Amino acid sequence: MRAVIVAIGVAFIISLFGTPIAIKVFTRLKAGQPIRAEGPAMHQGKKGTPTMGGVVFILATVIAYVAGHLALTSLPDQQIAQVEPTITALVLLGLMVFSGAVGFIDDFLKVRKRHSGGLNKRGKLAGQILVGAVFGIVALYFPSTMTDASGKTTNTETVASTTLSFIRDIPALEIGKIGAVIVIILVVMAATNGVNLTDGLDGLATGASVMVLAAYALIAFWQYRHWCADPNYTESYCYTVRDPLEIALIAGAAAGACVGFLWWNTSPARIFMGDTGALGLGGLIAGMAMSTRTILLLLILGGLFVIITMSVVIQIISFRTTGKRVFRMSPLQHHFELAGWSEVNIVVRFWIIAGIGVAIALGLFYSEFLAAVS
């Protein structure tokens, strides 16, 4: 637990004090956010606000992970096997960094062109597929070689599973490695685009991501305390996952980094996370669902992202089939802006919706454990 707390604290401090530096640097580089002409008229006042702020909390998360590992050296001997960096960390941080890199290219092109159209849809889609495929393969083909004090291998799990999962793996839904890679790619695409679509108002995506990442930190730490690979835990209702403490550490670090960034990103925003941050967070959240074996639970845990994404899908289908719009504008947050709601009201109320989804998901997760125990 100490390592997780250290990672959270380090990430928060770096992000809190590093973001003002990023604001000055990006302002000096004239890396201002272009605003879509067809967007809500009130957004034109945000034109020129520094973007690409996601670079700060991505770097803060990586640095905090290293700091958390330094704290792991004081753990008891039977837990020392997790002191060394693992494939789990490579996959999770890789998904965050390289998804963020795709977003950075998009942001860079927007700033360079002075236009809201950055990387084209095909280019962004290709980047998401490539990142999902590469780290999906790594997650499925590198089993753990953790050993106990006697030299016996105690955990041969891979980061991802070849079965679909809800709260645990569902044995009846075996899909094989190729199918699993495809599912991982789809989850990465869905999560990155979901967070990106939610990132339309000051602090909205940041605050919602904090809740989801904090929930994953709790889930992963609970799995660590009831881990099948732990020689001191012999109950049959343990969790078959790989490196849950690593997952909790990274989720906590990312949540802490986002809280520090939110100090400057809340209304009125001094800096935007940009596609750099939105895609980076989406990639990490997808990795969390994959590594904790809770892929289908993500639909509830990230309920706000799902609702906002579906509002866009509904709008497109309705307009193309009937020529009529269901919402004044999509994504959904812009519909309420045009309905007269203030930006702060929308953000706070949407945060409440995000919190409800997180609470329901955590309730289902814990109730499954209680059912297994009984």
Side-chain angles (χ1 to χ4, degrees):
M1 186 65 178
R2 177 167 51 189
V4 177
I5 294 174
V6 168
I8 293 172
V10 169
F12 171 75
I13 292 171
I14 292 175
S15 190
L16 180 64
F17 294 102
T19 302
I21 298 174
I23 293 172
K24 293 179 181 179
V25 171
F26 289 136
T27 300
R28 189 172 302 168
L29 294 175
K30 298 182 179 179
Q33 175 70 49
I35 304 297
R36 292 186 305 148
E38 61 272 21
M42 60 282 290
H43 285 202
Q44 294 304 315
K46 300 181 180 183
K47 186 175 181 179
T49 301
T51 187
M52 296 188 281
V55 170
V56 178
F57 57 72
I58 291 175
L59 287 176
T61 300
V62 174
I63 295 171
Y65 168 75
V66 175
H69 260 268
L70 295 177
L72 283 176
T73 57
S74 61
L75 287 176
D77 290 342
Q78 66 267 23
Q79 297 170 339
I80 284 296
Q82 281 204 352
V83 170
E84 298 297 327
T86 64
I87 293 294
T88 302
L90 173 67
V91 170
L92 293 179
L93 294 176
L95 282 169
M96 186 182 200
V97 171
F98 285 95
S99 294
V102 174
F104 182 84
I105 295 172
D106 187 36
D107 288 333
F108 177 79
L109 292 175
K110 289 177 182 177
V111 171
R112 185 176 181 181
K113 297 177 182 178
R114 304 296 177 186
H115 189 271
S116 60
L119 189 63
N120 61 48
K121 293 180 180 179
R122 290 184 179 180
K124 189 180 292 187
L125 183 63
Q128 293 169 335
I129 292 174
L130 179 61
V131 172
V134 169
F135 288 100
I137 291 171
V138 173
L140 287 163
Y141 285 86
F142 291 87
S144 174
T145 56
M146 183 179 293
T147 56
D148 59 20
S150 65
K152 179 182 177 182
T153 299
T154 59
N155 184 22
T156 58
E157 289 296 319
T158 52
V159 180
S161 173
T162 56
T163 65
L164 290 180
S165 57
F166 181 53
I167 293 173
R168 301 173 189 263
D169 284 336
I170 306 172
L173 298 181
E174 173 72 34
I175 56 178
K177 289 187 175 180
I178 294 177
V181 171
I182 293 173
V183 168
I184 291 168
I185 292 172
L186 293 175
V187 174
V188 169
M189 291 170 58
T192 52
N193 287 311
V195 177
N196 198 22
L197 290 171
T198 304
D199 183 33
L201 301 180
D202 296 350
L204 177 57
T206 309
S209 296
V210 168
M211 297 182 204
V212 174
L213 290 167
Y216 271 123
L218 291 173
I219 288 172
F221 192 77
W222 184 264
Q223 290 176 333
Y224 173 66
R225 299 297 295 176
H226 305 85
W227 190 24
C228 295
D230 185 348
N232 295 322
Y233 193 85
T234 58
E235 303 296 343
S236 60
Y237 43 82
C238 59
Y239 294 94
T240 306
V241 294
R242 173 173 176 168
D243 308 319
L245 186 58
E246 289 276 86
I247 303 169
L249 193 155
I250 293 171
C258 285
V259 172
F261 180 76
L262 184 60
W263 181 273
W264 306 100
N265 182 234
T266 192
S267 184
R270 295 273 306 278
I271 189 171
F272 299 140
M273 70 167 68
D275 281 20
T276 305
L279 270 61
L281 288 174
L284 179 59
I285 289 171
M288 290 291 160
M290 170 184 67
S291 58
T292 57
R293 313 293 172 87
T294 55
I295 285 178
L296 297 178
L297 187 66
L298 179 58
L299 294 172
I300 301 172
L301 193 61
L304 178 65
F305 303 139
V306 174
I307 291 170
I308 289 177
T309 300
M310 289 307 300
S311 73
V312 175
V313 173
I314 291 170
Q315 186 86 323
I316 292 173
I317 293 175
S318 176
F319 187 75
R320 290 184 177 178
T321 55
T322 67
K324 297 181 179 179
R325 293 180 173 85
V326 176
F327 307 104
R328 290 181 172 92
M329 183 179 290
S330 65
L332 188 61
Q333 60 268 33
H334 299 322
H335 167 83
F336 289 105
E337 278 191 290
L338 296 182
W341 289 24
S342 71
E343 182 170 0
V344 173
N345 277 343
I346 297 170
V347 169
V348 172
R349 288 168 181 171
F350 276 38
W351 280 352
I352 292 172
I353 294 172
I356 291 172
V358 167
I360 293 173
L362 288 176
L364 290 172
F365 180 84
Y366 186 62
S367 63
E368 187 275 342
F369 178 82
L370 292 179
V373 170
S374 63

